[in-house]
Amino acid sequence: MNEHDERGTTMTGVDPDRLDDQQLMKELETIHRTRHDTLLYGSNDALRAHNERMAVLEGEYLRRNPRRFVAPGRTREGARERTADGAPQGSAQGSEGTPVGKWGPGGAGGGTGVR
């Protein structure tokens, strides 16, 4: 059976647990980039498949990164502390005042490497 064509199941694409970390991130970036167009212009079946694929990819990411970096401004408490202009206070800085990258302290994935 072709790994991209899993007839009899609702998921299409490679099973996320078979992807390495870099491939998983690429899949997540692609599915998030295509989300808006799928919502606006996709058929109900396309949207359902997109939802299911996104859920399994995100679930795999969370399984691999249980202690991922959570930006303070992305919590309810942090959102309440935003300034009147909408910008979070101390944005682009870590808790010790050091700048953080795209994935927070510790580089891509920000996780423990636990699989």
Side-chain angles (χ1 to χ4, degrees), residues 68-84:
R68 73 192 192 288
F69 173 74
V70 176
R74 301 299 295 179
T75 64
R76 286 183 181 178
E77 182 179 330
R80 289 185 194 109
E81 294 176 2
R82 290 192 177 133
T83 61

Side-chain angles (χ1 to χ4, degrees), residues 12-25:
T12 59
V14 177
D15 191 353
D17 66 0
R18 293 177 49 196
L19 300 171
D20 66 30
D21 288 346
Q22 185 176 5
Q23 292 168 324
L24 178 61
M25 289 308 297

Side-chain angles (χ1 to χ4, degrees), residues 10-85:
T10 56
M11 187 180 80
T12 59
V14 177
D15 191 353
D17 66 0
R18 293 177 49 196
L19 300 171
D20 66 30
D21 288 346
Q22 185 176 5
Q23 292 168 324
L24 178 61
M25 289 308 297
K26 185 169 179 61
E27 289 280 323
L28 282 165
E29 289 168 359
T30 298
I31 203 159
H32 286 120
R33 187 176 57 248
T34 60
R35 179 67 184 169
H36 191 72
D37 283 344
T38 305
L39 175 63
L40 294 179
Y41 309 114
S43 67
N44 288 342
D45 286 342
L47 185 58
R48 189 174 4 268
H50 203 275
N51 288 341
E52 291 170 3
R53 180 68 175 169
M54 188 163 51
V56 296
L57 289 168
E58 289 177 346
E60 180 63 17
Y61 176 82
L62 293 172
R63 185 188 70 77
R64 293 183 192 188
N65 300 283
R67 293 188 257 245
R68 73 192 192 288
F69 173 74
V70 176
R74 301 299 295 179
T75 64
R76 286 183 181 178
E77 182 179 330
R80 289 185 194 109
E81 294 176 2
R82 290 192 177 133
T83 61
D85 66 1

